[in-house]
Amino acid sequence: VESLRVSSRFGDYEVVAERGALTRLGQLLDEHGVQRPRSVVSNTTVGPLWAERIAHALGTPLVELADGEDHKRWPEVERLIARWLEDNLHRESLVAAVGGGVLTDTTGFAASIYLRGIPWVAVPTTLLAMVDASVGGKTGINLEQGKNLIGTFWPPRLVVIDVETLTTLPERELLAGAVEVVKTAWIGDQELLGAIPSSPEVLDPGAWHEAVMRCVTVKARVVEEDELEGGRRAALNLGHTLGHALEAATGYRRFLHGEAVAWGLLAAARLGRRHGMLGDDGFARLTAAVRGLGAPPSITDLAAEELEPHIGRDKKKDDAGVRWVLPTDDGVAVDQRVETSEALEVFRELQAEGAG
Ligand SMILES: NC(=O)c1ccc[n+]([C@@H]2O[C@H](COP(=O)([O-])OP(=O)(O)OC[C@H]3O[C@@H](n4cnc5c(N)ncnc54)[C@H](O)[C@@H]3O)[C@@H](O)[C@H]2O)c1
Ligand SMILES: [Zn+2]
């Protein structure tokens, strides 16, 4: 067992990582003084694979939400809350969320508003949810107008990570999650770059155990410093300015989030080098780490003009440019102004270079 305590103004919580943890979840909850859940929430994909077993072992009712980012919306929250009412969950009842970031964000959000807030436990089952979504206490859902526009800070009582669940995760999802591992390593633990599994070990869940805990450690440190996102937490957006623009410009259909962030990291590396913050050696290390995860879907057919309106849309932006997070040789610099014309120039360079 490995565990890490995260302090939060909303209540401290522990992140526990153990292979096979899901086969003894009840015991683990007891060990950490957390009550048994009154509802296990999952989705129609992860339910049959993992959550049904958990619910059965705990003797707890299982709720399966619809799968996919398109369902991270009000209707699923209302459906879930209606079910909790039907099952007589009261103010002190605890719920467990078993799934990827979509499911844990939705369930955590519902838990934060049901009867003004009930406790929950997060059991992330994707690499991305383990290294990113599970720590930091953010919950939320999407609106027609954009992603994560409604949300709360409502940390779980406990996060339980079992890398065994990665055995059923599609390889594409695994590699996309690994991009966030590279991002996190660059921000706060560059030695981890050498410990990131490359193929064929990427498919061996055991190979991820250490990387996951080290990412959780970095993210916990960053969010503890800046829980409500005033400054330091922005570091976690490395690679996300172009990444978000690519996702939006392609209607969230072409890229998995991590794949868009892969392009975003390659762009940020170029911008960091141009701005004299990242040396040739650092540039080579960051680029190799991203490329080592395989080629993300192509960007060659995208016109830079299609991208432009989406760059920095979710951020501070003035006439001349957007504030980017740029990589330095040993971390990141936040709040770096980059003119959008320069960002587009770098985008064209990446297109010319192709995926290889
Ligand atoms: N709260 C936060 O701080 C935070 C941080 C980062 C991302 N997020 C959110 O996370 C979401 C993305 O999460 P994601 O990448 O995990 O995507 P996801 O939740 O959509 O999961 C990807 C797919 O894999 C399936 N899946 C999950 N676990 C599986 C398993 N073990 N085996 C087989 N299939 C499995 C899911 O059902 C889904 O179809 C986004 O909505 C994003 O906004 C939140
Ligand atoms: Zn991300």
Side-chain angles (χ1 to χ4, degrees):
V1 195
E2 248 183 289
S3 76
L4 178 85
R5 193 155 189 83
V6 185
S7 64
S8 157
R9 69 178 71 190
F10 306 100
D12 295 0
Y13 53 101
E14 205 135 339
V15 181
V16 184
E18 179 184 304
R19 260 192 105 163
L22 297 195
T23 58
R24 58 177 211 98
L25 187 60
Q27 204 185 334
L28 258 174
L29 293 171
D30 294 348
E31 283 168 19
H32 288 84
V34 176
Q35 60 172 298
R36 300 294 178 95
R38 293 283 315 276
S39 175
V40 172
V41 185
S42 190
N43 68 28
T44 49
T45 305
V46 182
L49 292 170
W50 299 98
E52 279 171 15
R53 267 180 265 173
I54 294 172
H56 183 78
L58 295 172
T60 308
L62 172 70
V63 191
E64 290 182 355
L65 303 182
D67 187 11
E69 187 77 44
D70 293 344
H71 297 287
K72 192 176 140 177
R73 301 283 294 266
W74 276 120
E76 289 303 285
V77 172
E78 287 199 33
R79 206 161 70 80
L80 181 54
I81 285 177
R83 177 62 192 273
W84 286 345
L85 284 168
E86 212 178 286
D87 290 343
N88 297 315
L89 269 66
H90 55 77
R91 295 220 31 200
E92 272 82 46
S93 302
L94 177 133
V95 299
V98 184
V102 165
L103 190 280
T104 55
D105 271 14
T106 311
T107 306
F109 177 65
S112 76
I113 58 173
Y114 179 70
L115 304 178
R116 298 197 177 77
I118 59 170
W120 70 295
V121 167
V123 183
T125 62
T126 64
L127 185 56
L128 183 135
M130 290 174 188
V131 301
D132 197 347
S134 74
V135 181
K138 285 189 189 178
T139 79
I141 57 171
N142 304 327
L143 288 181
E144 197 63 52
Q145 292 87 340
K147 286 186 61 173
N148 298 321
L149 291 177
I150 298 183
T152 54
F153 283 99
W154 193 250
R157 287 291 159 88
L158 184 71
V159 179
V160 179
I161 294 176
D162 184 351
V163 289
E164 208 61 43
T165 57
L166 299 177
T167 50
T168 56
L169 189 67
E171 185 173 1
R172 189 177 167 198
E173 293 283 354
L174 192 66
L175 290 170
V179 175
E180 300 279 9
V181 176
V182 169
K183 176 203 79 173
T184 309
W186 195 269
I187 294 168
D189 182 2
Q190 296 203 353
E191 277 173 25
L192 169 57
L193 289 173
I196 294 175
S198 51
S199 87
E201 314 99 78
V202 281
L203 297 178
D204 169 15
W208 286 104
H209 187 82
E210 187 191 339
V212 166
M213 262 338 250
R214 286 171 71 168
C215 282
V216 165
T217 306
V218 172
K219 181 154 185 196
R221 230 164 47 209
V222 173
V223 301
E224 279 173 350
E225 251 178 72
D226 177 25
E227 191 165 24
L228 301 179
E229 199 155 22
R232 174 77 185 139
R233 192 163 177 160
L236 298 166
N237 286 328
L238 177 65
H240 283 60
T241 307
L242 184 79
H244 284 150
L246 281 172
E247 289 183 281
T250 52
Y252 297 93
R253 289 277 171 269
R254 180 180 306 189
F255 304 100
L256 294 179
H257 173 70
E259 294 170 340
V261 173
W263 286 117
L265 288 173
L266 295 172
R270 281 174 178 270
L271 288 167
R273 190 171 58 171
R274 277 168 172 249
H275 287 230
M277 324 188 87
L278 186 64
D280 288 339
D281 175 59
F283 177 83
R285 280 190 299 126
L286 178 51
T287 306
V290 176
R291 299 267 191 216
L293 300 174
S298 170
I299 53 171
T300 45
D301 63 320
L302 289 171
E305 296 68 43
E306 290 174 68
L307 214 58
E308 182 169 4
H310 299 286
I311 290 185
R313 200 178 185 166
D314 48 349
K315 303 270 150 48
K316 277 183 273 175
K317 187 177 184 178
D318 55 39
D319 286 347
V322 172
R323 309 285 168 170
W324 285 60
V325 182
L326 294 183
T328 63
D329 285 316
D330 58 1
V332 291
V334 301
D335 237 11
Q336 300 298 305
R337 183 153 145 182
V338 174
E339 301 205 356
T340 299
S341 58
E342 190 187 12
L344 294 177
E345 210 175 301
V346 159
F347 175 71
R348 290 194 192 93
E349 285 173 16
L350 284 175
Q351 287 183 307
E353 187 183 276

